[in-house]
Amino acid sequence: MEVRTVGDLTQQLVARQQNAELRREMDRLVFEVGTEKRADLAGSLRGDFTLLSGVEADLSRLQAFAETVSDLELRGEAIQRVLSAGRELGNDTTANLLTASPPTTAENVAFVASEARGRFADFAARLNGSFAGASLFAGTATGGPAVAPAEDMLTALEAEIAPLTSVADVQAAIETWFAPGGGYDTLGYVGSADPLPSVDVSPTRQIGLGVTAADPEVRDVLTGLAMAALTDRPPLLGDLEVQGDFMIAAAERIQKSQSGLAELQARLGTSEAELEGEAARNAAEQAVLRTTRAEMTDVDIFEAATDLDAVQARLELLYTITARSAQLSLVRVLG
């Protein structure tokens, strides 16, 4: 029968207590080394989560602003691409018009007009583009297109100019159709009269990209392209001299529209630069807050790993001492 003294029992009790404490400490350190987070956050904060909650709330708000800014930046890039395409289409059409003037054959006029119709349709299709499922140029009517199909608009214009007799009258009719209150407002532009409003990008700042296909700069591009597209339609059809004059007028009209489109892009670029600045400020604020949060919630991974090694060594030493103590007790009893 094994005989245990009071001293043996006391040693065993102390060993068990030390073993339990070391295991709890090792479990804590294993968690902290694996997650780099404090295992006892409440203890490290002395039960006061006020500052941490405030930092988390600020980070959430800044993240929401960052997402808004990112969406606006991407939307601005998409709008810029459409406007740049409008300038390219206009420049290409102008080059065709000037190269073919004065026209020598009806086929020559028909080719230039056909090319212009294609570019008018291309620009109209781009105006109906969307970003993240929201129309780019339809204002607050983000769920639908900005403009009617190109062929519908050109057909309406053909009917408008058919009874006219002079180049000046035809040009005036097309310009009137695209002007505010004209046919474009009732048949061409199918978006909202209200542009998208500015949105909060910081606690104190709002920025918007309220560009629509109803803006005068966009109307001007469509006007010039439509003029070129209708060069081979009545009442111009059949008179090469008149068509030549109209081609020159269309080229001038398109060239005039290019400066307005460039100004619109510049204004949009100013807003994009402001968004870039807000994004940088937001990122800097988030970095400071994340550092503050880390100081409250994170552990020094190298320090924690060192402590874990020390606890493991102490636990192994405790096992060794306990084993030797048990052997000595057995020798004493047997002796």
Side-chain angles (χ1 to χ4, degrees):
M1 181 179 66
E2 182 183 357
V3 178
R4 296 186 180 183
T5 66
V6 173
D8 292 336
L9 294 174
T10 300
Q11 288 180 351
Q12 290 178 3
L13 178 60
V14 171
R16 288 196 187 97
Q17 290 176 337
Q18 289 179 335
N19 181 68
E21 290 174 1
L22 288 172
R23 282 192 169 280
R24 284 194 296 270
E25 183 70 3
M26 188 165 70
D27 289 343
R28 178 184 70 81
L29 290 168
V30 167
F31 173 85
E32 292 184 347
V33 169
T35 65
E36 300 186 25
K37 300 295 181 183
R38 297 185 187 277
D40 183 15
L41 184 59
S44 66
L45 295 178
R46 299 180 180 179
D48 186 1
F49 287 84
T50 304
L51 180 57
L52 178 59
S53 297
V55 170
E56 294 284 7
D58 288 343
L59 278 170
S60 295
R61 188 176 70 255
L62 287 174
Q63 181 58 34
F65 286 138
E67 291 173 0
T68 297
V69 168
S70 178
D71 286 346
L72 283 175
E73 287 181 319
L74 293 173
R75 184 180 180 86
E77 291 174 6
I79 293 173
Q80 287 281 24
R81 285 194 294 271
V82 174
L83 298 180
S84 293
R87 294 180 66 183
E88 292 175 7
L89 292 168
N91 288 333
D92 290 343
T93 303
T94 298
N96 279 2
L97 290 167
L98 295 178
T99 300
S101 299
T104 55
T105 65
E107 288 76 13
N108 186 217
V109 177
F111 173 79
V112 172
S114 176
E115 289 285 295
R117 292 176 81 89
R119 294 191 178 103
F120 181 90
D122 188 351
F123 189 46
R126 292 173 186 268
L127 291 173
N128 283 333
S130 62
F131 168 74
S135 181
L136 289 172
F137 290 88
T140 55
T142 55
V147 297
E151 208 52 48
D152 291 354
M153 289 189 280
L154 291 176
T155 298
L157 281 166
E158 285 183 39
E160 194 80 17
I161 66 173
L164 306 178
T165 57
S166 71
V167 169
D169 288 343
V170 172
Q171 179 173 351
I174 295 174
E175 291 176 340
T176 299
W177 196 87
F178 280 104
Y184 182 68
D185 284 350
T186 56
L187 299 174
Y189 181 64
V190 295
S192 170
D194 301 316
L196 285 173
S198 298
V199 296
D200 294 329
V201 296
S202 78
T204 59
R205 187 73 186 281
Q206 289 187 328
I207 295 178
L209 304 175
V211 179
T212 76
D215 288 347
E217 296 85 358
V218 176
R219 292 174 186 261
D220 284 348
V221 176
L222 290 170
T223 300
L225 291 175
M227 287 177 62
L230 296 171
T231 304
D232 65 341
R233 294 296 192 266
L236 307 174
L237 182 64
D239 190 328
L240 290 179
E241 183 178 353
V242 169
Q243 287 177 314
D245 291 341
F246 193 70
M247 289 166 71
I248 294 297
E252 292 174 348
R253 191 68 178 75
I254 293 173
Q255 287 178 325
K256 179 182 177 182
S257 73
Q258 297 301 286
S259 59
L261 205 56
E263 291 174 4
L264 178 58
Q265 286 189 282
R267 292 198 300 272
L268 185 61
T270 299
S271 296
E272 290 178 302
E274 292 173 351
L275 286 171
E276 186 176 349
E278 290 298 332
R281 281 188 287 273
N282 188 309
E285 289 183 38
Q286 287 195 67
V288 171
L289 288 171
R290 289 194 181 103
T291 299
T292 301
R293 180 179 63 183
E295 290 172 351
M296 292 185 283
T297 64
D298 294 3
V299 296
D300 185 326
I301 187 65
F302 299 106
E303 181 180 339
T306 300
D307 291 344
L308 179 59
D309 288 340
V311 169
Q312 286 177 322
R314 288 171 59 194
L315 191 59
E316 291 171 0
L317 179 61
L318 177 62
Y319 286 154
T320 301
I321 292 174
T322 301
R324 289 180 178 177
S325 177
Q327 292 174 352
L328 290 173
S329 297
L330 178 60
V331 169
R332 187 171 63 246
V333 170
L334 293 176

